[in-house]
Structures are given as structure tokens and as C-alpha cells.
Amino acid sequence: MGILLVYDVTDESSFNNIRNWIRNIEQHASDNVNKILVGNKADMDESKRAVTTSRGQSLADEYGIKFFETSAKTNLNVEQVFFSIARDIKQRLAESETKAEQPQTITINQPNPANGSAADAQKSACCGS
């Protein structure tokens, strides 16, 4: 239903793996699965950062997904990430239920007023009636 793509902001290789993970998601998950990109360890000193916030945001923008930076250690934005993906999933499911509930009507052998009466249309219906 939803996937959090989490990388470590102090580890360039974890960030570089995001593209591979997204390819795997595109190959194996539902097309409409909700995704959020998360850069973790946002509490770390800037000198230890390997991935800037702007690079994370750019990658998220490239794939059209939301982006957050979090810290599991200090609880920065952790709840917001989970609430955000839960809201997105709930909205997607509500939209798909609304589409499923819309009645689809099919009319067969509806008479064309330009071609005669309803009785004429009935005579030409299936099985010689």
C-alpha cells in the first residue's frame, strides 16, 4: 500500500541506491503504490553529511514523490512521515472506491427517434420478436 524509501544522509551509497529501489518498485509493486523519500539522521552535524537536503528534494521531485528529512534518534519528522503516507493511502483508496461506486449504464437497442417508433425498434430486436 505504501513504501518509505529511506536513506542515510551521512552515507552517499545509501542515497545512490534509491534509484535502484525505485526501479524494483516499478517492476514489482502496484502502479499506484504510495511512495515517500526519507533522508534519515537529519540530526547529524553538517560536517558528517554526504547528501544535502536539496539533493534529496531534487530526487523526490524527479520521481514526483514527497520528501522528508527525519531523525529516528531525536524523533524529528518521524510521525509526520507516517501520518503523511497514511493520509495519502487513505485518499487513494477513497478515490478508487468512489470510481468503483459510480454506476456504469449500458443501453442496448435504444430506439433512435429519427428511425421510427419504439415499437419498430422492438420488432427488430434479437430472435425475431
Side-chain angles (χ1 to χ4, degrees):
M1 292 290 198
I3 298 173
L4 300 177
L5 297 151
V6 183
Y7 67 92
D8 178 344
V9 300
T10 67
D11 182 3
E12 180 82 24
S13 65
S14 71
F15 180 74
N16 292 335
N17 280 326
I18 295 293
R19 290 182 192 281
N20 296 330
W21 298 339
I22 288 177
R23 273 193 298 275
N24 283 327
I25 291 167
E26 289 169 347
Q27 290 174 356
H28 303 291
S30 300
D31 291 337
N32 59 354
V33 68
N34 294 87
K35 298 177 285 293
I36 293 182
L37 181 61
V38 180
N40 191 40
K41 296 189 180 180
D43 61 293
M44 297 298 284
D45 185 75
E46 283 296 316
S47 64
K48 295 183 180 179
R49 262 189 185 263
V51 182
T52 63
T53 302
S54 61
R55 284 182 63 206
Q57 184 64 61
S58 293
L59 185 62
D61 292 345
E62 180 181 330
Y63 288 104
I65 60 178
K66 291 182 179 179
F67 171 69
F68 289 87
E69 282 199 334
T70 64
S71 169
K73 183 177 181 180
T74 66
N75 201 27
L76 172 72
N77 286 336
V78 173
E79 281 189 19
Q80 289 85 338
V81 168
F82 285 102
F83 282 127
S84 179
I85 196 142
R87 269 191 308 272
D88 293 348
I89 291 168
K90 184 177 178 184
Q91 180 179 351
R92 176 174 46 86
L93 293 176
E95 288 170 359
S96 67
E97 285 177 10
T98 301
K99 289 178 186 173
E101 289 173 0
Q102 292 176 350
Q104 296 185 8
T105 305
I106 299 173
T107 305
I108 301 173
N109 291 333
Q110 182 173 349
N112 183 344
N115 294 337
S117 69
D120 292 339
Q122 182 133 10
K123 287 181 186 175
S124 66
C126 173
C127 306
S129 22

